[in-house]
Amino acid sequence: MERVDIKLIKQFEGLIKSSSKSIVLVPHMHADGDAMGSVLGLWRILKNAGLKVKVISPTKYPEFYHWMDGHEEVIIYSHHPKQSARALEESDLLICMDFNQLSRLGDMKALVESYPGKKVLVDHHPYPGTFTDLVISDISYSSTSELIFSILQSTEFAPYIDKNAATSFFTGIMTDTGSFDYSVSNPNTFEVVAQLTRMGIDQQNIHSKVYDNFSAERMKLMGFCLSNRMTVYPEYHAAAMYITLEDQKAFNFKTGDNEGFVNMPLSIKGVVFSALFTEKEKYIKVSFRSKGEFAVNEVCEKYFNGGGHRNASGGELYASMQETLLKFESILPEFEDKIKQSVK
Ligand code: 5GP
Ligand code: MN
């Protein structure tokens, strides 16, 4: 059932086995469940195999992933740049997971770019960059977690996959598919989940730890945004929501508190394109979701300095919130026909 070229898998296995120092695993900045799931799952397996392995995350990540196995040992580059640089110096293999452009590393980009050891990319986004020695990239996988689990099955590391690693991988698959709502057209996803289930994972508990772990303030912010910060454009089957810095202050906003907001307008009848704009200190973070064929990563690439998947993409715009919202409204007519083709 393996879809990745076995030669690539053997090269990947060979690089891990020939590492004589330590191995460093790196997710993208503002890591999500799949970035942390794939990295921490692989971290546990390599550790179980007796290898030296460290995780360096470019930035901190939401608290609702802090329960995951290995979280305590993750080095946060933005908080500990020297410790991160030392960990890289002490390693000879760097594995980049769940992203495929150096820009997704933020301020850690230069360190990875100039890394003297071997570099590998394991990812499932379109258009992989060429900044690593080995590229394992396949968009037909729901998640990097599903991909790395599938790859490891054909290596001698398979026996080291335990319940902890399985739990991390399930977290990645669950979050990248919106709890099996999208990106699940390939049966392999469910075959992997079946294998993870046999390893004894507790799906209900994992779901609860990720999705039932928010503050009351976050829920109030959600209600506020739905009532006061959402515009529906019925003629374009689209909706946009925004959160200002002032809103964030009023509701004691923490990293990850806006998680899932962008999906909510998709439950409105007829809406197939949803946008969320979150104000940051220096820019506006853009998040897009769609249903069906309409490719939001193309919109992000063309107008919002980003990319991602067909139905889930993101980017950044160095503009004010008002300019961003006007820009969004101004581009809707261009995509009207494509959006309408997605309406079922
Ligand atoms: P989210 O809306 O959850 O932040 O991101 C959804 C997806 O869009 C991510 O899984 C990632 O593939 C992509 N994405 C988010 N932000 C960016 C960005 O700034 N640049 C690029 N290239 N992709 C992004
Ligand atoms: Mn992913």
Side-chain angles (χ1 to χ4, degrees):
M1 264 303 286
E2 195 44 68
R3 309 202 292 282
V4 176
D5 185 349
I6 190 73
K7 273 189 252 151
L8 284 180
I9 298 174
K10 289 293 148 195
Q11 279 177 38
F12 179 58
E13 184 179 24
L15 283 173
I16 293 174
K17 281 164 64 184
S18 60
S19 160
S20 58
K21 295 164 93 180
S22 84
I23 299 171
V24 169
L25 312 180
V26 179
H28 56 77
M29 63 176 175
H30 308 304
D32 57 11
D34 186 35
M36 291 322 294
S38 55
V39 158
L40 291 176
L42 181 59
W43 171 83
R44 168 53 62 198
I45 293 160
L46 298 182
K47 229 175 140 59
N48 287 349
L51 298 172
K52 272 193 247 162
V53 51
K54 285 188 177 160
V55 175
I56 306 177
S57 173
T59 61
K60 61 184 172 127
Y61 47 92
E63 277 178 23
F64 47 82
Y65 296 126
H66 289 191
W67 57 272
M68 291 172 78
D69 173 45
H71 158 71
E72 300 293 336
E73 299 203 21
V74 174
I75 305 168
I76 307 292
Y77 169 77
S78 54
H79 291 35
H80 304 285
K82 282 189 194 143
Q83 195 188 343
S84 303
R86 214 175 316 125
L88 283 173
E89 274 164 29
E90 289 164 3
S91 73
D92 56 4
L93 179 62
L94 179 69
I95 306 178
C96 299
M97 303 182 78
D98 199 41
F99 67 97
N100 64 20
Q101 301 295 341
L102 282 167
S103 58
R104 300 276 283 144
L105 291 168
D107 294 341
M108 199 180 145
K109 175 182 164 177
L111 213 52
V112 171
E113 204 166 16
S114 62
Y115 183 72
K118 290 278 182 204
K119 281 181 272 196
V120 179
L121 181 75
V122 182
D123 182 55
H124 71 132
H125 293 96
Y127 320 119
T130 52
F131 58 95
T132 57
D133 302 281
L134 183 66
V135 175
I136 297 184
S137 168
D138 191 328
I139 62 164
S140 69
Y141 288 81
S142 68
S143 50
T144 305
S145 296
E146 181 194 335
L147 172 61
I148 187 71
F149 176 85
S150 303
I151 292 170
L152 291 171
Q153 291 298 317
S154 326
T155 70
E156 59 184 63
F157 296 104
Y160 297 104
I161 307 176
D162 62 6
K163 185 178 165 184
N164 280 327
T167 298
S168 294
F169 292 149
F170 182 79
T171 306
I173 298 171
M174 178 188 79
T175 52
D176 253 26
T177 60
S179 300
F180 306 95
D181 181 15
Y182 43 80
S183 312
V184 283
S185 50
N186 200 305
N188 186 62
T189 308
F190 294 101
E191 275 156 11
V192 167
V193 169
Q195 285 173 278
L196 299 176
T197 304
R198 281 189 201 99
M199 292 176 168
I201 60 165
D202 183 347
Q203 294 100 328
Q204 210 177 349
N205 185 246
I206 297 169
H207 191 278
S208 191
K209 276 179 166 154
V210 174
Y211 294 114
D212 305 332
N213 215 350
F214 293 111
S215 63
E217 282 151 323
R218 181 259 186 182
M219 191 164 270
K220 288 180 185 174
L221 171 68
M222 184 192 279
F224 172 80
C225 290
L226 290 171
S227 298
N228 303 294
R229 298 283 185 254
M230 184 176 75
T231 307
V232 181
Y233 304 90
E235 66 277 34
Y236 296 111
H237 302 274
M241 210 192 292
Y242 67 95
I243 312 171
T244 65
L245 283 172
E246 216 172 294
D247 300 339
Q248 292 167 45
K249 208 167 152 206
F251 290 92
N252 193 21
F253 187 91
K254 288 212 208 69
T255 309
D257 271 0
N258 56 350
E259 186 87 13
F261 283 26
V262 65
N263 297 95
M264 302 190 73
L266 291 179
S267 62
I268 300 168
K269 191 173 182 183
V271 171
V272 296
F273 177 24
S274 170
L276 173 70
F277 302 104
T278 308
E279 189 176 8
K280 303 274 177 185
E281 287 298 337
K282 292 191 186 134
Y283 61 93
I284 306 290
K285 173 78 183 83
V286 177
S287 264
F288 286 161
R289 297 290 184 273
S290 69
K291 283 187 193 165
E293 299 297 311
F294 180 52
V296 282
N297 52 354
E298 289 172 15
V299 187
C300 259
E301 277 154 32
K302 190 163 177 191
Y303 291 109
F304 296 96
N305 308 309
H309 308 281
R310 184 185 71 182
N311 298 125
S313 69
E316 297 166 358
L317 199 68
Y318 286 79
S320 70
M321 186 59 89
Q322 207 188 355
E323 286 163 347
T324 307
L325 294 170
L326 287 173
K327 181 169 183 168
F328 179 72
E329 287 182 7
S330 75
I331 61 163
L332 284 174
E334 179 184 333
F335 296 100
E336 185 173 359
D337 290 345
K338 282 186 176 166
I339 297 173
K340 284 190 172 151
Q341 283 163 18
S342 265
V343 180
K344 288 218 172 102

